[in-house]
Amino acid sequence: MPGDEKAPVKLSLPLEFQQDIFKELREDDELVLLARGLGLLRIVTNLLHSYDAAGNNLILLVGADERENVWIGEALAEHAAVSVAPKARGLSLVNTDLMSVGTREKMYAQGGIFSITSRILIVDFLSGLLNPETVTGVVVLHAERVVATSLEAFILRIYRQKNKAGFLKAFSDSPEPFTTGFSPLTNMMKNLFLQKPSLYPRFHVSVAKSLEGRKKAEVIELEVPMTDAMRDIQNAVLECVEVSISELRKSNTGIEMEDWTLDSALHKNFDTMIRRQLDPVWHRTTFKTRQVVRDLTLLRTILHALLTYDAVDFNKYLDTVLAASQPPPGSTKQNQSPWLFLDAADTIFTTAKRRVYTGKVSNADLANNPNSVPDSLEPVLEELPKWNQLAEILQEIEQDAYLNPTPQDTSTGAILIMCGDQGTCRQLREYLQIMYVKPEGENDEDGAESEPSAQVMMRRKLRNYLSWKGDFTKVSSALFSENQKAINSSTENRVQSGKANKPPPNKRRRVRGGGAAGSGSTRSDTGAVRTPGDRDAHIASLMAELQPTEIEAMQKTEISTDPLDDMDSYYTLFDMDSLVVIHPYDGDLDEHILEETKPRYVVMYEPDAAFIRRIEVYRSSHTDRTVKVFFMYYGGSVEEQRYLSAVRREKDAFTRLIRERGNMALTLNNDANLDPQESFLRTINTRIAGGGRLAATTQPPRVVVDVREFRSSLPSLLHGRSIVVVPCMLTVGDYVLTPQICIERKSIRDLIGSFTNGRLYNQVEAMMEHYKSPMLLIEFDQNKSFTLEPFSDLSAPSTTAGLAVAPDLQSKLVMLTLAFPRLKIIWSSSPYQTAEIFSELKKQAEEPDPLKAVQIGLDPSMQGDEMRSFNQVTQDMLRALPGANEKIVTTLTLEVESLMELANMEEKELCKLIGTDVGRRIHRFFNRSVYEDVAVPTL
Amino acid sequence: QALPSRSGPSSILVSPRQKGNPILNSVRSVAWEYSDIPADYVLGATTCALFLSLKYHRLHPEYIYNRIRDLKGQYQLRILLTMVDIENHEESLRELSKTSLVNNVTVMLAWSAQEAGRYLELFKTFEHAAPTSIRAQRSSTYSDSLVEFITVPRGINKTDAIGLVSNFGSVRTAVNAGPEEIGLIAGWGEKKVQRWCNAVREPFRIKK
């Protein structure tokens, strides 16, 4: 194996630039910024292994996510086996609260490489379970997430305060976050306590030399045109996006929105971008704005679905979207999403339907005889153009393989098809299986030459769709009985009645009578709004037409729970030479796929910049293998734009970083930088830096903090103000400052949320019971506007009745203070400010007792600290059950294992547990079938 | 220590000191009248409010302490209605937080005269109201609680929720469904499927 000869262990870094990085890293502490797809994890594992093989160490891996842990764990084990290192211990995971304190302590004492969830690591550091001085070194993944107030920065600060000798290396493969803000790289380096950034873009000399010097991978680019219908839909969606954006502009004057254009809408995450821009003022935005932002996310999903889902699935998805966008019963028209009123929305829905089936029923026919069933419905079943292209490529590959039967290399001849997600995988697998099967009856037309087609598959899908549609109509009517009429009618109808801004029903008749000529819908005598396409009878006739032919019936349908769907098991079962492997892109794990399948042909069904680099790396690493790559994209589509802009943005980011590195002052001297306390205080307030220190005389000030609060930045800032942070599992309150003062911290978003679900009321109630001075801390974000005033006009006189129905934040606060007169409110404009207020409040006060704080509010019957680490999400889901209150939630948490068990419980059991009334309601909640369309009494 | 209700419960009592305060212009939906009271506003039998502009506070920091002292511990709920009308509010607000603890007043911030006036109205309006709307509320209809239940895990929206139940028929079958089956529903990507399945299968509490 080619490798670094001088290193004591065997490495698997065949390329020159990889070896360069490795050598640099062994010598120096630095931040490595590598372009995506160049094998960052491979370098990390080799580095970890080189330490692992030496033995006798304690290395912490910070910031790795679940999949990376698996990757690194496997790779380390493999390395250890290859280089026969007796001292190597591999990777140990500490990633859940499930591991008890004792176990963790024992593990740390043994040493080795640990990947630890940040929240657990910080608690272990602070509680002394893990002494930072014993740590040999820290490796940080995803360094782009280490911003000043992050947990990771807090971890590194503690580590560097106590341990100046250990090594510290940081990695990142997304350069973009490093380029926002003022001298971002310098700041990041400060947070990381590192001096040297090392940048490896794709255009770096040694990278380019490694990848281009030898034989290049052969790439064939194929631009597939979209069908007209697809283009129409895409344009219509973009129009909706444009209107939504201008809607945002209109309702949020005074916010910087120049760059909210359609161009940026083509960008991958334009909805998150807009959300981020609005974030500082989010709590002041109106309901409408929030709705539009939600709509944008939905529209983006639709854009994506258009390119990946087949026509039937796409139409089905739109059906669900429509049903979900129905306003709740009794609400006004303002609650409708604005884009649904557009002509473009109409285009989306009708075109999507026309891609599946057409109904040529004229209005006159229906008006004359509304109950007749015209038989002119026809399935259309448009196929995705990429399918045909894929079939052609496969044919070409087959010919190619036939012409050169004995390859001169070690590739296996397998064909690897890479696509965006599991869903697309499934779709392609199904397509490839039956693309040469014809439904009977149509053999005479195009059966002669065996053109691949998806007809069988599409017909099967349409059958499923139609039977689903029947159920679905019932579901929506059962769920939204008030809107039954609207939902029964077709999409066009809803859009059109929407466009008319829903005049009152009596007026509507007249409006319709006058101008309904052009519309595709009509009104039958019974008054129900109907359209040809969706009538039960029509569906039945369509169904009849689609009756499976014999050949179709022979094809087995894809069984969704096929255990072989797990790709890993394929490798051992089949001969690689004749295999077509379909796999979704999966970040760094794709390297494994390439290594294991050793494909001679790769088809990229969707563009992915990182994967192209991966192929380059793979190709250059194995000189004896040839790879031929086919690369497909829809011309003029969002997909193409997105790919291009991703490549461009990465390049821009690197260019800027290189420029900044050139200007960076590298005179930072070690000692100054290593006193994080100092630098931290400076960021808070220069004036009190000296004074704050002096105040800490005999006993350092202490604050007891709930462990769940470590997700916020406040504990880190408190620590920065040289307050001792004691992590504890608190039942009452978030922070205990003195024996009397207990604080519940709420960010604005939390505040709104916990008012809505009533949790704040209970929390304050508990604080009132146990502490003399309960306080509610309302914390604004550093960059958020420090005001609660909504953008809407306050001066409009609001009636008492109106307020009681939909109270705003202000009214809720008033209610809270009226209900708890003893509760004090702290208003803080930022976490930095909070830290100052805390030390102000603690002046000349006693220190809190952690033991006592932990015991307060504990149910004596629920002893044992570990018992109380409940899972937050499931708790919230339990709270959402009908009739559930805190007591019932607690009972269920203690008595039942999981939601699954709860859902499958017998009614009797449940009633015994939580009482007949609620028990019955919860049982009914789980077991009620939404297909029944009986009107059900409200819960 | 409640003041005898001389003027009926329906109006806000305003101290003559507050004459000319622009926030009075925004008190519209509730009647108010001048009265000789130690506080600036009396908003109910046990509630009073002092008004403080931060601009003024910076010039006369001792003023508000005298006013609080004059209240002589009367009223259960003593609001310090503070108008944030300066840019560098940090220091003053820090001081007021401490004060609120020491002197038993509750700080409420307003950023405009309108908002401040609105707070006065609200305190009066809700004087006798039960805090029902801030306590746990249950959604009333099946569809609401259904959607609410399914959308708890991050990233799952209403469309997904409806897609889910319409495919499986009931919540129970949706809970029991395997990740492969859920993945077939349009709109449910791997992440969502993973989150939903985890939420449903994860144990409620940690087993020893």
Side-chain angles (χ1 to χ4, degrees):
Chain A
M1 185 175 278
D4 190 342
E5 265 87 26
K6 278 174 232 153
V9 286
K10 284 185 182 146
L11 300 174
S12 59
L13 296 173
L15 297 184
E16 208 182 308
F17 76 90
Q18 294 174 330
Q19 291 163 19
D20 287 350
I21 298 175
F22 181 81
K23 268 183 229 153
E24 267 177 52
L25 277 169
R26 282 294 298 200
E27 280 160 22
D28 248 334
D29 283 359
E30 63 178 13
L31 163 71
V32 174
L33 260 173
L34 195 64
R36 257 177 285 253
L38 291 184
L40 181 82
L41 275 190
R42 182 183 283 262
I43 295 170
V44 173
T45 44
N46 275 290
L47 181 74
L48 285 176
H49 174 63
S50 72
Y51 289 112
D52 191 24
N56 268 339
N57 50 33
L58 178 61
I59 293 167
L60 306 181
L61 181 64
V62 177
D65 62 31
E66 218 170 294
R67 294 168 341 142
E68 286 161 344
N69 279 332
V70 175
W71 210 101
I72 293 173
E74 277 175 13
L76 280 182
E78 200 183 311
H79 272 296
V82 167
S83 51
V84 201
K87 281 180 179 165
R89 301 171 154 274
L91 185 77
S92 325
L93 288 183
V94 183
N95 55 4
T96 47
D97 289 311
L98 296 176
M99 218 171 268
S100 75
V101 174
T103 328
R104 284 194 325 243
E105 195 166 14
K106 221 176 283 164
M107 285 173 70
Y108 293 146
Q110 280 171 356
I113 299 178
F114 291 90
S115 173
I116 310 178
T117 312
S118 298
R119 203 176 55 79
I120 298 177
L121 179 57
I122 192 70
V123 170
D124 285 352
F125 263 167
L126 287 171
S127 61
L129 195 64
L130 174 60
N131 183 357
E133 285 169 44
T134 60
V135 176
T136 322
V138 176
V139 172
V140 184
L141 293 186
H142 295 287
E144 73 274 4
R145 294 189 200 146
V146 187
V147 292
T149 50
S150 69
L151 260 187
E152 285 76 18
F154 190 11
I155 291 172
L156 294 180
R157 178 149 41 89
I158 295 182
Y159 170 64
R160 265 301 174 236
Q161 260 175 14
K162 300 258 178 73
N163 182 340
K164 313 220 188 248
F167 70 78
L168 175 54
K169 330 231 175 234
F171 298 88
S172 171
D173 61 357
S174 58
E176 293 89 351
F178 286 93
T179 55
T180 45
F182 176 71
S183 65
L185 186 60
T186 322
N187 284 332
M188 279 305 229
M189 299 307 286
K190 225 184 264 167
N191 297 335
L192 289 164
F193 296 98
L194 288 172
Q195 274 96 52
K196 191 174 154 203
S198 172
L199 308 173
Y200 283 90
R202 171 66 180 79
F203 53 84
H204 188 279
V205 183
S206 76
V207 175
K209 207 173 87 195
S210 304
L211 294 186
E212 287 158 12
R214 306 177 210 185
K215 252 194 335 191
K216 275 209 243 169
E218 188 183 349
V219 181
I220 297 164
E221 222 177 86
L222 297 162
E223 183 179 326
V224 186
M226 287 192 280
T227 63
D228 293 340
M230 286 170 81
R231 192 164 305 118
D232 288 349
I233 295 175
Q234 177 174 304
N235 290 339
V237 175
L238 289 178
E239 195 184 322
C240 291
V241 170
E242 201 171 357
V243 170
S244 298
I245 288 178
S246 65
E247 190 81 26
L248 279 183
R249 278 221 188 95
K250 231 187 302 172
S251 55
N252 297 290
T253 43
I255 302 175
E256 196 184 320
M257 271 186 251
E258 278 87 56
D259 42 339
W260 289 7
T261 57
L262 203 53
D263 269 346
S264 59
L266 285 170
H267 194 267
K268 188 168 185 185
N269 299 320
F270 67 87
D271 53 325
T272 35
M273 265 170 48
I274 285 176
R275 209 178 273 253
R276 202 176 305 137
Q277 278 205 11
L278 277 177
D279 198 45
V281 290
W282 189 251
H283 56 278
R284 299 170 62 197
T285 52
T286 54
F287 172 79
K288 188 114 198 169
T289 306
R290 286 173 217 186
Q291 190 181 34
V292 172
V293 174
R294 266 199 302 274
D295 288 343
L296 281 172
T297 313
L298 192 65
L299 287 169
R300 183 165 72 89
T301 326
I302 293 179
L303 264 185
H304 177 71
L306 171 68
L307 296 181
T308 48
Y309 292 173
D310 60 75
V312 177
D313 275 351
F314 183 65
N315 193 31
K316 185 170 165 185
Y317 181 65
L318 286 183
D319 278 352
T320 345
V321 166
L322 251 181
S325 318
Q326 284 307 306
S331 70
T332 47
K333 66 173 181 340
Q334 278 104 335
N335 292 352
Q336 278 271 26
S337 294
W339 70 275
L340 285 171
F341 298 137
L342 299 175
D343 283 342
D346 185 37
T347 316
I348 297 175
F349 292 112
T350 44
T351 319
K353 205 172 78 182
R354 214 176 303 126
R355 287 172 77 201
V356 181
Y357 59 88
T358 48
K360 291 186 193 112
V361 192
S362 69
N363 284 326
D365 272 356
L366 262 190
N368 294 339
N369 190 0
N371 293 321
S372 73
V373 182
D375 263 32
S376 48
L377 284 189
E378 265 182 41
V380 177
L381 302 177
E382 184 179 289
E383 298 178 17
L384 286 179
K386 268 188 186 176
W387 289 346
N388 198 23
Q389 187 70 51
L390 181 64
E392 274 174 28
I393 290 175
L394 290 182
Q395 232 162 12
E396 192 187 322
I397 290 175
E398 217 166 287
Q399 275 171 9
D400 193 41
Y402 181 75
L403 292 173
N404 318 306
T406 43
Q408 302 297 313
D409 56 38
T410 53
S411 298
T412 54
I415 303 167
L416 179 63
I417 301 176
M418 297 298 289
C419 56
D421 55 16
Q422 284 291 357
T424 319
C425 270
R426 216 174 287 121
Q427 182 196 78
L428 291 182
R429 221 175 297 157
E430 198 178 349
Y431 172 71
L432 292 178
Q433 268 168 20
I434 54 174
M435 63 183 173
Y436 288 113
V437 181
K438 300 265 152 225
E440 240 172 359
E442 287 166 36
N443 269 348
D444 45 351
E445 285 164 36
D446 55 340
E449 73 274 26
S450 95
E451 277 281 302
S453 94
Q455 237 183 356
V456 177
M457 176 169 107
M458 293 300 278
R459 283 168 65 96
R460 185 195 291 159
K461 289 214 175 214
L462 183 55
R463 268 197 302 280
N464 290 340
Y465 168 73
L466 290 176
S467 64
W468 170 84
K469 179 87 179 171
D471 285 338
F472 186 67
T473 322
K474 282 185 206 149
V475 173
S476 7
S477 61
L479 289 184
F480 310 98
S481 40
E482 294 239 335
N483 296 312
Q484 197 163 353
K485 250 193 246 167
I487 287 178
N488 272 339
S489 71
S490 83
T491 54
E492 293 124 277
N493 248 311
R494 252 163 292 157
V495 173
Q496 290 200 338
S497 57
K499 263 193 289 181
N501 265 359
K502 296 215 163 166
N506 53 340
K507 272 190 191 161
R508 181 154 148 209
R509 178 175 281 271
R510 250 190 292 140
V511 173
R512 291 234 155 225
S519 74
S521 58
T522 183
R523 222 153 198 277
S524 67
D525 295 340
T526 51
V529 185
R530 295 200 152 187
T531 13
D534 284 8
R535 303 175 54 172
D536 292 349
H538 290 180
I539 288 178
S541 78
L542 201 52
M543 241 354 217
E545 171 148 342
L546 284 168
Q547 273 312 309
T549 58
E550 270 173 59
I551 294 175
E552 280 185 287
M554 274 159 55
Q555 299 296 323
K556 72 164 178 71
T557 44
E558 176 105 339
I559 303 160
S560 54
T561 46
D562 186 354
L564 279 181
D565 269 357
D566 185 8
M567 290 308 287
D568 290 341
S569 40
Y570 273 122
Y571 304 137
T572 50
L573 288 175
F574 292 106
D575 175 24
M576 296 302 285
D577 273 338
S578 52
L579 203 61
V580 178
V581 179
I582 308 178
H583 206 273
Y585 293 123
D586 201 7
D588 282 310
L589 300 193
D590 293 340
E591 273 175 46
H592 276 215
I593 301 297
L594 284 173
E595 292 291 342
E596 282 173 35
T597 51
K598 304 192 194 87
R600 187 167 320 132
Y601 305 99
V602 178
V603 180
M604 294 177 67
Y605 187 74
E606 277 158 49
D608 182 82
F611 191 75
I612 295 182
R613 301 223 183 97
R614 264 180 250 286
I615 290 180
E616 286 179 324
V617 171
Y618 169 78
R619 177 71 193 81
S620 317
S621 314
H622 303 276
T623 37
D624 52 345
R625 292 181 197 163
T626 50
V627 189
K628 194 167 179 183
V629 183
F630 298 88
F631 174 81
M632 269 194 242
Y633 59 90
Y634 286 119
S637 72
V638 180
E639 183 180 75
E640 183 189 8
Q641 293 296 328
R642 203 181 288 156
Y643 166 71
L644 292 176
S645 84
V647 173
R648 194 175 46 235
R649 275 191 316 134
E650 196 198 58
K651 201 177 159 196
D652 289 351
F654 267 118
T655 322
R656 283 185 57 180
L657 284 177
I658 290 170
R659 204 174 307 134
E660 194 191 331
R661 183 177 59 175
N663 300 335
M664 216 161 82
L666 276 175
T667 48
L668 292 167
N669 96 33
N670 246 9
D671 295 332
N673 202 31
L674 284 187
D675 190 6
Q677 220 171 351
E678 191 69 45
S679 67
F680 214 74
L681 280 172
R682 213 178 300 132
T683 56
I684 299 169
N685 190 337
T686 29
R687 280 172 297 171
I688 46 136
R693 281 277 196 72
L694 287 176
T697 47
T698 45
Q699 200 184 13
R702 183 164 69 205
V703 173
V704 182
V705 181
D706 185 36
V707 284
R708 275 156 292 196
E709 271 297 301
F710 278 91
R711 287 195 199 99
S712 77
S713 55
L714 188 52
S716 162
L717 294 169
L718 289 173
H719 181 262
R721 286 191 57 92
S722 56
I723 292 175
V724 177
V725 177
V726 187
C728 283
M729 192 76 90
L730 295 183
T731 314
V732 176
D734 291 332
Y735 297 85
V736 182
L737 300 193
T738 73
Q740 277 84 41
I741 304 179
C742 174
I743 292 178
E744 181 68 40
R745 188 190 73 97
K746 293 281 173 211
S747 66
I748 297 300
R749 198 172 285 212
D750 290 348
L751 186 70
I752 296 168
S754 55
F755 263 133
T756 320
N757 64 21
R759 198 185 308 164
L760 182 59
Y761 189 92
N762 298 334
Q763 285 169 330
V764 173
E765 210 172 23
M767 284 203 298
M768 297 291 285
E769 194 181 323
H770 297 285
Y771 288 93
K772 201 174 143 230
S773 312
M775 300 183 101
L776 169 68
L777 163 65
I778 300 179
E779 190 178 82
F780 291 71
D781 265 9
Q782 169 75 347
N783 301 318
K784 282 193 181 177
S785 66
F786 181 50
T787 168
L788 282 181
E789 274 190 290
F791 286 124
S792 62
D793 198 9
L794 263 183
S795 56
S798 41
T799 56
T800 320
L803 275 176
V805 175
D808 58 4
L809 197 52
Q810 276 93 343
S811 346
K812 286 176 177 174
L813 271 176
V814 167
M815 272 188 245
L816 189 73
T817 46
L818 280 169
F820 303 104
R822 206 146 48 84
L823 179 78
K824 302 286 169 293
I825 300 178
I826 304 174
W827 302 75
S828 168
S829 51
S830 73
Y832 295 96
Q833 198 52 36
T834 312
E836 291 208 32
I837 294 175
F838 275 17
S839 42
E840 179 83 30
L841 291 177
K842 281 182 65 64
K843 262 181 204 160
Q844 284 122 32
E846 270 179 81
E847 298 303 328
D849 179 4
L851 270 180
K852 226 172 130 198
V854 168
Q855 264 148 15
I856 279 181
L858 259 190
D859 190 343
S861 63
M862 282 168 51
Q863 280 303 331
D865 53 340
E866 307 273 312
M867 279 296 277
R868 289 178 311 112
S869 31
F870 299 139
N871 187 325
Q872 195 60 49
V873 176
T874 49
Q875 291 273 303
D876 286 347
M877 288 174 89
L878 283 177
R879 276 195 200 98
L881 290 173
N885 57 26
E886 283 306 307
K887 204 170 147 221
I888 286 171
V889 169
T890 318
T891 319
L892 288 177
T893 320
L894 292 177
E895 297 297 329
V896 186
E897 179 67 33
S898 69
L899 272 173
M900 200 173 223
E901 189 187 317
L902 180 67
N904 292 317
M905 269 168 98
E906 291 293 325
E907 186 171 346
K908 243 190 268 159
E909 274 178 88
L910 254 174
C911 291
K912 218 164 50 186
L913 217 56
I914 50 174
T916 326
D917 179 41
V918 186
R920 211 174 274 160
R921 279 169 72 182
I922 291 183
H923 184 259
R924 187 159 171 66
F925 174 81
F926 280 117
N927 287 281
R928 181 178 148 179
S929 166
V930 284
Y931 296 152
E932 306 163 9
D933 57 348
V934 241
V936 190
T938 50
L939 285 162
Chain B
Q1 68 268 39
L3 280 184
S5 55
R6 284 167 301 173
S7 51
S10 60
S11 57
I12 298 175
L13 300 185
V14 180
S15 158
R17 294 159 174 270
Q18 290 292 313
K19 203 172 269 184
N21 190 335
I23 72 169
L24 282 172
N25 296 333
S26 343
V27 181
R28 289 200 202 116
S29 62
V30 181
W32 57 271
E33 59 186 85
Y34 289 116
S35 171
D36 186 24
I37 45 170
D40 286 339
Y41 302 94
V42 173
L43 305 162
T46 57
T47 310
C48 77
L50 290 174
F51 177 81
L52 180 68
S53 142
L54 282 185
K55 210 184 261 171
Y56 187 83
H57 180 63
R58 240 192 343 199
L59 297 172
H60 308 278
E62 73 298 332
Y63 160 80
I64 194 64
Y65 296 98
N66 294 333
R67 293 299 311 276
I68 294 175
R69 206 181 50 231
D70 290 348
L71 288 181
K72 300 201 183 75
Q74 283 174 334
Y75 303 102
Q76 255 181 43
L77 175 59
R78 293 132 47 110
I79 303 292
L80 186 57
L81 186 58
T82 309
M83 175 82 90
V84 184
D85 45 11
I86 53 175
E87 283 299 310
N88 311 322
H89 44 71
E90 287 84 3
E91 205 166 331
S92 314
L93 286 183
R94 189 165 68 240
E95 186 202 328
L96 287 179
S97 298
K98 179 85 176 174
T99 312
S100 79
L101 192 68
V102 176
N103 294 310
N104 187 26
V105 290
T106 303
V107 180
M108 296 297 275
L109 296 193
W111 281 268
S112 70
Q114 273 166 14
E115 199 187 4
R118 179 109 197 289
Y119 270 125
L120 292 183
E121 287 176 8
L122 287 171
F123 272 109
K124 188 66 194 170
T125 316
F126 290 130
E127 190 188 350
H128 303 295
T132 39
S133 66
I134 55 169
R135 304 191 67 159
Q137 284 174 308
R138 300 278 104 234
S139 7
S140 49
T141 64
Y142 177 67
S143 56
D144 282 352
S145 51
L146 184 92
V147 168
E148 198 186 319
F149 176 78
I150 298 177
T151 51
V152 170
R154 219 155 53 85
I156 298 177
N157 61 26
K158 200 177 165 192
T159 311
D160 302 326
I162 288 169
L164 186 74
V165 281
S166 69
N167 261 280
F168 291 106
S170 75
V171 185
R172 189 170 63 86
T173 34
V175 166
N176 288 330
E180 286 291 335
E181 296 170 79
I182 299 175
L184 289 174
I185 304 170
W188 281 78
E190 275 118 84
K191 262 191 201 144
K192 284 181 194 173
V193 173
Q194 195 65 42
R195 283 201 193 116
W196 168 255
C197 290
N198 280 351
V200 162
R201 283 173 179 73
E202 257 174 18
F204 286 146
R205 71 205 120 85
I206 281 103
K207 278 256 172 91
K208 281 228 167 175

